[in-house]
Amino acid sequence: MDFFLQLLINGLSIGFLYGLSAMGFVMIFKSSSVLNFAHGEILAFGAFLFLALATWAQLPIALAFVVTLAGAFVLGFVIERIFLRPLIGEPLIQVIMLTVGLASMFKGGMLLVWGGNLYTYPEFLPEGLGVNWGVIQVPPVYVAAVIIGSLFLLLFGLFFKFSSQGIYMRSVADNQPAALSLGVHVRRVFALSWAIAAVVAGISGIVLGIINGINVHELSSIGLKVFPVVILGGLDSISGAIIGGLIIGLLETFTGGYLSPSLRDIVPYITLVFILLIKPYGLFGLVEIERV
Amino acid sequence: MSRKTLRFRPCGNFKVRYREELAVFETDFGRLWAAAGLAALFVLVPWAATPYLLYVVNLIGISAIAALGLNILVGYTGLISLGHGAFFGVGAYSAGILAVTYDVPFLAVIPLAGLMTAVVGMVFGIPSGRLKGLYLTIATLAGQFIIEYILVHWESVTGGTMGMTLPAPTLFGVPVTGDVSFFYLIYTAVVVMVFIAVNLMRTRYGRAFVAIRDNDRAAEGMGIPIFPYKLLSFAVSSFYAGVAGGLWAYYMISISAEPFNLGLSVEYIAMVIIGGLGSISGAIFGTVFITLLNEGLRWVTDTIMNMGGVAGVELTLAPLREFVFGLAIVLFILFEPRGLAEIWRIVRSSFRLWPFSY
């Protein structure tokens, strides 16, 4: 029973992080229908930028955090501006291939700079953050992850609900030509959604880095694990991303705990194939009906 | 249509029959060049090349078959596969299992490896029935990881991390060993596979693929059953990967699951993008480009390492290669989305139209 509870808590915390990572991905897909294969690399970039600022530049943690988010924002903006804007209106294949190329480029670049080693952040979380209720023990990093994640989830929820830019973004996601004809600056919305998605990715990168350590291969593989999550949740549903993340996280930890640790990494993809066969638009996705 | 004289230059587009429109070579000029090129390839290359060069040429031949298959799927049918590297691996392992465990002769192993890979490919192609290109990409990504896992963990069949060792292939009782004999073997396969691909694209199947790529709704409206054709395209593409994988397994003698990772799949995608989507020659150009780039980068890193490193900078091949491949994909998509085949066409037509080439 203890083992079960521990797995449950681990699964939920990891799943929550998957959901957070998937959120940025969904945001890009919703506004510009681009499948971003470079998401994991942006995430890793956030983690490494934070590492560089916190250890090499010796900035205070809070400042390093803010600067990292600003850096991720700029990165997202620049990616959209340089690489994706020329492809607006081009076939989908080109756009997807471009993100595959970007992923390979960023990953190679980061490996050239930092190598394949495992780094860790300096300790900065207060000890009292951990939860210890007898059988249920949650390490401080998970608590911090959930707090940071929920905080930003709330922030983004408010942003989409009340700010004018957030409303523009939702309108573009909903119906691009209509938004365009009502005067929404669609290109700015694209740029902004890439920038915000990069910020979200950066946050998830930092949090994942705190938990698992920072390694280019590990972090960029999260970007691929996002696919089972978003397919399960529905490609264009942000709340679906969180729920999908929780389900995939639980599935992974329980498989790792009860069946076999080596099966753990593969189980999300097996699930993915079955979802595609059974319920291809996911739990909360918009069902596209197309008939000839 | 019978002609007495050879035609060297088209003097405008005056085709009056579909036969002429479908002709592989528009003029005899192209036909002669193709024949001369093939003769030069089969006679000059093995005679002039050093062993290392021949090894590179052989690798190009094997990859060209696989890239051709991927181009049928991506370039002609408009479906993106991120699992081509794994399918290549399935071909290699199928060949290994057939040759080692079941003792099947070489000539049967290669097509059988292709067929087994086609079946595996179709399993991952099934989601394409209900979904459009984008979802298939994700399904093949899943396929990549699942196949990699199976290759490593199904130890009783694949030998696990130990891999497999293949016997030398025998053709009509003569064992094939050494780079030169493999050169003839591989390039005969290349010629056969190119011949099949070129002609497949001229049949109703090839035209159906292109119609699905250009507009799947319109294609269905015209009476093309989308799902069987998508699945067929997937099977053909995997068949090519399987044949290439089988040849690779024989050429490399011992195989393990390591090379068939996502990186290899991205490498194949780079080949078809850089070569030119939807072009047979493009797949070959792309393969040559990527393989030479690969070897060039190896040479550069080796030279820098031998010079003792520049100011302690440690340059390793794998990340550099990943970076350069990504950069090449991105640059080609942004600046020449139709790839090297298009550049080749422009160069050729500017020669043909000289002095009025503008």
Side-chain angles (χ1 to χ4, degrees):
Chain A
M1 194 61 198
D2 287 3
F3 186 57
F4 175 80
L5 279 177
Q6 199 58 51
L7 284 182
L8 186 72
I9 286 168
N10 284 356
L12 285 176
S13 339
I14 291 173
F16 188 75
L17 288 170
Y18 285 164
L20 198 64
S21 319
M23 222 175 86
F25 181 89
V26 170
M27 216 177 275
I28 291 175
F29 183 78
K30 243 174 111 87
S31 72
S32 56
S33 51
V34 171
L35 274 191
N36 181 15
F37 277 90
H39 198 70
E41 281 70 21
I42 298 176
L43 192 142
F45 175 79
F48 273 102
L49 189 60
F50 186 60
L51 176 77
L53 291 171
T55 56
W56 179 71
Q58 301 281 342
L59 290 183
I61 291 298
L63 185 62
F65 189 68
V66 174
V67 175
T68 306
L69 296 195
F73 189 88
V74 172
L75 177 77
F77 197 81
V78 167
I79 291 178
E80 200 278 338
R81 191 65 245 227
I82 296 180
F83 298 113
L84 281 131
R85 189 158 298 178
L87 291 184
I88 289 179
E90 293 286 321
L92 200 63
I93 297 188
Q94 308 277 9
V95 183
I96 293 179
M97 297 293 199
L98 183 96
T99 62
V100 171
L102 278 180
S104 169
M105 203 172 110
F106 285 152
K107 193 177 174 193
M110 281 188 292
L111 281 172
L112 282 178
V113 177
W114 283 289
N117 304 333
L118 185 71
Y119 297 89
T120 46
Y121 291 130
E123 283 293 324
F124 59 85
L125 291 169
E127 268 304 308
L129 209 57
V131 174
N132 196 347
W133 295 325
V135 287
I136 303 171
Q137 288 178 340
V138 189
V141 277
Y142 285 131
V143 178
V146 172
I147 291 175
I148 296 176
S150 321
L151 196 70
F152 275 91
L153 213 55
L154 188 70
L155 263 176
F156 284 116
L158 293 175
F159 172 78
F160 281 116
K161 188 95 184 150
F162 296 111
S163 78
S164 56
Q165 285 300 333
I167 293 168
Y168 293 158
M169 283 174 72
R170 278 195 297 154
S171 73
V172 171
D174 194 43
N175 189 336
Q176 199 175 315
L180 199 61
S181 67
L182 287 172
V184 175
H185 197 319
V186 172
R187 279 186 288 181
R188 187 185 296 155
V189 167
F190 283 176
L192 196 66
S193 56
W194 270 87
I196 291 179
V199 169
V200 179
I203 297 168
S204 3
I206 294 172
V207 175
L208 281 165
I210 298 172
I211 294 179
N212 294 337
I214 316 138
N215 171 283
V216 178
H217 296 289
E218 287 284 322
L219 286 171
S220 55
S221 75
I222 299 286
L224 299 175
K225 214 160 263 177
V226 156
F227 285 99
V229 172
V230 293
I231 291 290
L232 179 59
L235 256 176
D236 44 13
S237 159
I238 289 186
S239 51
I242 299 289
I243 293 168
L246 291 178
I247 296 174
I248 294 286
L250 284 175
L251 214 62
E252 238 190 56
T253 24
F254 279 118
T255 315
Y258 287 114
L259 292 176
S260 98
S262 68
L263 207 59
R264 192 194 135 106
D265 286 327
I266 211 72
V267 119
Y269 298 105
I270 297 173
T271 327
L272 169 61
V273 173
F274 280 108
I275 301 161
L276 282 179
L277 288 174
I278 297 161
K279 199 168 164 45
Y281 296 103
L283 298 174
F284 305 98
L286 187 69
V287 179
E288 291 170 36
I289 296 174
E290 205 174 74
R291 294 209 195 290
V292 177
Chain B
M1 198 174 82
S2 66
R3 286 192 309 259
K4 294 273 152 42
T5 51
L6 296 174
R7 280 181 355 127
F8 286 103
R9 281 184 166 212
C11 50
N13 195 348
F14 299 125
K15 293 171 184 129
V16 290
R17 288 184 175 81
Y18 280 115
R19 263 182 78 89
E20 297 171 34
E21 181 69 39
L22 283 173
V24 175
F25 296 107
E26 207 179 331
T27 60
D28 291 311
F29 195 60
R31 202 186 305 268
L32 289 179
W33 266 113
L38 274 182
L41 178 76
F42 276 98
V43 177
L44 285 182
V45 171
W47 175 72
T50 59
Y52 170 70
L53 213 58
L54 205 58
Y55 166 77
V56 174
V57 169
N58 284 348
L59 284 188
I60 289 177
I62 293 172
S63 304
I65 296 176
L68 205 57
L70 188 61
N71 212 354
I72 290 173
L73 187 71
V74 182
Y76 285 100
T77 323
L79 304 168
I80 307 171
S81 168
L82 274 176
H84 210 64
F87 295 137
F88 184 79
V90 171
Y93 269 95
S94 307
I97 293 160
L98 288 171
V100 176
T101 318
Y102 297 101
D103 215 13
V104 180
F106 171 75
L107 271 183
V109 165
I110 296 297
L112 280 177
L115 284 179
M116 280 169 80
T117 315
V119 171
V120 173
M122 273 159 84
V123 171
F124 290 100
I126 289 174
S128 72
R130 296 177 63 180
L131 302 152
K132 296 187 108 177
L134 186 137
Y135 284 87
L136 183 73
T137 314
I138 302 174
T140 54
L141 180 75
Q144 167 75 43
F145 288 116
I146 294 171
I147 290 172
E148 254 182 80
Y149 178 83
I150 291 173
L151 290 186
V152 176
H153 288 89
W154 197 11
E155 283 174 20
S156 57
V157 175
T158 64
T161 45
M162 296 287 288
M164 306 185 91
T165 307
L166 280 87
T170 48
L171 265 182
F172 313 112
V174 184
V176 181
T177 46
D179 283 334
V180 178
S181 10
F182 260 106
F183 170 85
Y184 286 109
L185 196 67
I186 289 168
Y187 276 85
T188 312
V190 171
V191 170
V192 170
M193 296 313 260
V194 169
F195 180 81
I196 294 175
V198 168
N199 286 295
L200 179 69
M201 289 309 136
R202 301 162 68 209
T203 60
R204 58 182 293 143
Y205 300 102
R207 286 195 295 274
F209 291 164
V210 174
I212 291 171
R213 175 194 69 191
D214 288 343
N215 190 334
D216 52 350
R217 269 174 274 187
E220 189 155 23
M222 291 192 302
I224 297 170
I226 304 255
F227 180 49
Y229 275 101
K230 278 183 175 173
L231 213 54
L232 179 69
S233 168
F234 217 85
V236 172
S237 150
S238 310
F239 179 81
Y240 272 73
V243 168
L247 285 172
W248 192 83
Y250 272 109
Y251 188 47
M252 289 294 151
I253 297 168
S254 81
I255 51 172
S256 66
E258 243 161 68
F260 313 121
N261 52 21
L262 189 63
L264 186 67
S265 296
V266 173
E267 207 172 301
Y268 281 120
I269 284 187
M271 284 176 196
V272 295
I273 290 269
I274 288 169
L277 287 171
S279 145
I280 302 282
S281 56
I284 293 163
F285 285 139
T287 316
V288 173
F289 183 89
I290 289 288
T291 313
L292 290 185
L293 189 68
N294 231 335
E295 295 302 317
L297 285 176
R298 191 192 306 273
W299 182 80
V300 167
T301 42
D302 281 355
T303 326
I304 291 176
M305 289 304 240
N306 286 343
M307 276 162 26
V310 183
V313 178
E314 206 176 312
L315 210 53
T316 37
L317 182 62
L320 186 70
R321 199 169 67 179
E322 219 163 344
F323 178 77
V324 174
F325 280 1
L327 190 68
I329 296 180
V330 168
L331 289 180
F332 265 93
I333 288 178
L334 289 181
F335 297 110
E336 186 50 272
R338 291 193 214 162
L340 287 170
E342 180 71 4
I343 294 178
W344 170 239
R345 199 188 62 77
I346 291 169
V347 168
R348 233 176 28 171
S349 62
S350 65
F351 269 111
R352 193 160 55 88
L353 299 172
W354 189 86
F356 302 112
S357 52
Y358 48 83

